[in-house]
Amino acid sequence: LRQKISAVTAVHPMISALRRASLRQTGLLNSTTAKHVAFRGVQPLVRWHRSVVDENAEQISFHFKLRDGSRKTVSVPSGTTVLEAAHQNQVDLEGACEASLACSTCHVILTPDDYNKYGEPTEKEEDLLDLAPCLTPTSRLACQVVVDERLKDQEVSLPAMTLNFYVDGHVPTPH
């Protein structure tokens, strides 16, 4: 962990010891999480690879609007990403880069209200969304949207199509 913090500080010298201490205190940097932190200016941005979810976390139910127009209700612990929720519930959402914020195959569409609740995507996420087919003003990457009270009983839509899905007949499975 110290190496990661040092690497971030070397790349971003504006990150002070006080800032690192603040991030540790809020839980963004600690030895028990699988989160990687990137920085844009002085605002911390979390890049999720796999979330670490408390077993006792509140279960949040929300709905996926599938490509065929049907609706699938799922329930996952608070703190799970929408991508992980899709994989845990057999929703066809790929995530080719395994949530490393390197592709747009987990593109989803939020309602305008939900989009506003989650705030603006990072510049990196916006760049990747530009590559996604069926882009809308409320598009997000599912690996960057964390399920919590804001998403309770809300709907997340899958776009009509995606790129890189079922390449050569392969059906991706989370691991």
Side-chain angles (χ1 to χ4, degrees):
L1 182 63
R2 287 188 180 129
Q3 290 172 338
K4 288 179 186 176
I5 294 170
S6 297
V8 168
T9 305
V11 174
H12 302 281
M14 65 177 40
I15 311 293
S16 66
L18 180 60
R19 185 60 157 156
R20 290 190 305 274
S22 171
L23 289 170
R24 277 192 205 97
Q25 185 178 4
T26 61
L28 285 175
L29 292 177
N30 65 54
S31 60
T32 61
T33 66
K35 299 174 188 173
H36 294 264
V37 178
F39 293 89
R40 187 170 119 207
V42 293
Q43 295 298 317
L45 305 173
V46 178
R47 186 174 82 189
W48 302 91
H49 288 280
R50 288 249 183 242
S51 56
V52 177
V53 179
D54 180 4
E55 293 176 7
N56 300 318
E58 176 187 0
Q59 292 288 311
I60 306 288
S61 293
F62 68 100
H63 316 283
F64 281 103
K65 183 177 179 186
L66 305 178
R67 289 181 179 88
D68 64 5
S70 64
R71 193 177 204 200
K72 182 169 188 171
T73 302
V74 300
S75 185
V76 296
S78 180
T80 304
T81 66
V82 170
L83 178 62
E84 291 169 329
H87 287 175
Q88 291 168 11
N89 291 280
Q90 293 72 47
V91 173
D92 288 334
L93 189 61
E94 185 173 3
C97 71
E98 297 181 358
S100 65
L101 199 55
C103 75
S104 61
T105 60
C106 68
H107 168 222
V108 294
I109 302 166
L110 301 178
T111 64
D113 287 341
D114 291 335
Y115 182 87
N116 291 332
K117 289 177 195 174
Y118 278 95
E120 294 291 319
T122 65
E123 187 174 334
K124 174 73 173 170
E125 183 180 353
E126 286 177 346
D127 290 344
L128 291 169
L129 282 167
D130 287 341
L131 304 172
C134 308
L135 189 64
T136 73
T138 60
S139 291
R140 292 295 304 262
L141 296 179
C143 65
Q144 300 300 300
V145 178
V146 179
V147 177
D148 58 20
E149 283 293 322
R150 296 173 288 186
L151 204 57
K152 190 173 190 172
D153 298 323
Q154 300 301 309
E155 185 173 85
V156 174
S157 299
L158 301 184
M161 63 176 286
T162 185
L163 298 176
N164 200 40
F165 199 71
Y166 296 159
V167 175
D168 299 326
H170 173 72
V171 178
T173 56
H175 50 273

